[in-house]
Amino acid sequence: MGRSLGRQFRWFWAAYAISTFGTWLAFDAFALIAILALDAGPAEVSMLAAAGLAIGAVVAVPLGPWVEFRRKRPVMIGMDLIRFAALMNVPAAYVLGWQSFAQLLVVAVVVGAADIAFTAASGASLKALVRPEDLLVANGRFEATTWTATALGPPLGTAAIGLVGPVTSVAANAVSFLLSAAGIRAIGGREPHPARTATPPRPRADDLLEGWRYILAGPALRSLFFNTALVNGLIMAASPLLAVLMLGDLGFAPWQYGLAFGVPCIGGLIGS
């Protein structure tokens, strides 16, 4: 049997699993809406894929100090509720006939920024919930959950999209964040306030440059950084174009597109 990490960890893990599966069930739903409902081209789909991550990366600079000196679980619950509200705008706009590319772009940016704040808080929260010697086991379970959702979510989600439409999958993703917030709330216990310095730090340009210098000065960190940037950059460069090619020009069904993405991720599950 696997090692038990306690009730609080189980609630945290359950919340993570629900929101992760919800996200991957709605795999590329925005791109599908843009291509199939709004007749978007490669440039628009690429902008939709990049906007949330780009704006989120900029927002992450001031968000770091803001998250550091706050209790992490309320931050995570807040980010889940923001993502729920933002995503529910998509089915609401569809029902009212207000669906537009600009609206999808705004929702992608809001969700992207909330994703980064949630991730920053969740890492620190996990360290507070489990003992240092259990972190490897805990992270392994999270990693296995991620790859399971990545392998199963896109084929199942895109098959559902073919039956009920991409807007429904966005609504399901929104509900998964609401359930995640409930799971984090159920962790219980008292989370202590982080110790504050006499003068709370303010983000400065020098701090950002110092962070880059630290990464680039270390051979191991520098190699990991450039490897991650290269791999993710190539994936992001090809993914929107592949969606337009398969779903538009080649006429693939949504489930076939999801299957093409999900099957290779079985290797990640095995590795985790």
Side-chain angles (χ1 to χ4, degrees):
M1 294 181 62
R3 185 189 307 179
S4 175
L5 302 182
R7 184 191 65 84
Q8 291 186 314
F9 172 78
R10 288 196 297 272
W11 275 114
F12 190 35
W13 188 17
Y16 176 80
I18 290 169
S19 63
T20 302
F21 270 95
T23 297
W24 284 108
L25 282 172
F27 167 69
D28 265 6
F30 281 16
L32 288 165
I33 293 171
I35 295 167
L36 302 178
L38 302 176
D39 296 321
E44 291 173 306
V45 176
S46 298
M47 184 186 303
L48 194 60
L53 298 175
I55 299 298
V58 173
V59 173
V61 176
L63 273 179
W66 182 82
V67 171
E68 182 180 0
F69 294 102
R70 280 168 174 77
R71 289 185 300 151
K72 303 306 182 289
R73 275 181 255 163
V75 170
M76 294 163 65
I77 291 172
M79 294 304 107
D80 271 339
L81 295 179
I82 287 173
R83 291 186 287 188
F84 166 76
L87 288 170
M88 284 304 295
N89 270 275
V90 176
Y94 176 80
V95 170
L96 296 172
W98 296 344
Q99 196 87 75
S100 69
F101 179 79
Q103 186 232 7
L104 290 178
L105 198 60
V106 170
V107 172
V109 167
V110 172
V111 172
D115 282 344
I116 288 179
F118 182 94
T119 301
S122 65
S125 184
L126 177 62
K127 291 178 182 178
L129 284 178
V130 300
R131 297 170 299 181
E133 60 268 26
D134 290 331
L135 276 175
L136 182 61
V137 174
N139 281 308
R141 292 180 185 178
F142 275 86
E143 192 72 11
T145 301
T146 298
W147 283 108
T148 302
T150 309
L152 298 180
L156 294 176
T158 49
I161 284 171
L163 295 174
V164 296
V167 170
T168 306
S169 69
V170 174
N173 188 19
V175 171
S176 77
F177 289 125
L178 192 63
L179 295 175
S180 171
I184 294 167
R185 179 70 179 83
I187 290 174
R190 183 174 178 81
E191 183 183 3
H193 283 277
R196 299 186 67 91
T197 57
T199 55
R202 295 180 179 178
R204 300 175 301 173
D206 288 347
D207 296 332
L208 183 59
L209 293 175
E210 180 59 31
W212 281 110
R213 283 193 290 266
Y214 184 81
I215 291 172
L216 298 177
L221 284 177
R222 184 170 63 245
S223 298
L224 286 172
F225 169 75
F226 282 118
N227 176 72
T228 302
L230 180 61
V231 171
N232 291 344
L234 291 173
I235 292 172
M236 287 299 298
S239 181
L241 303 178
L242 185 63
V244 174
L245 177 65
M246 291 184 68
L247 297 167
D249 297 345
L250 299 179
F252 277 68
W255 71 266
Q256 293 172 312
Y257 173 63
L259 190 65
F261 182 89
V263 169
C265 296
I266 295 173
L269 175 60
I270 295 170
S272 67

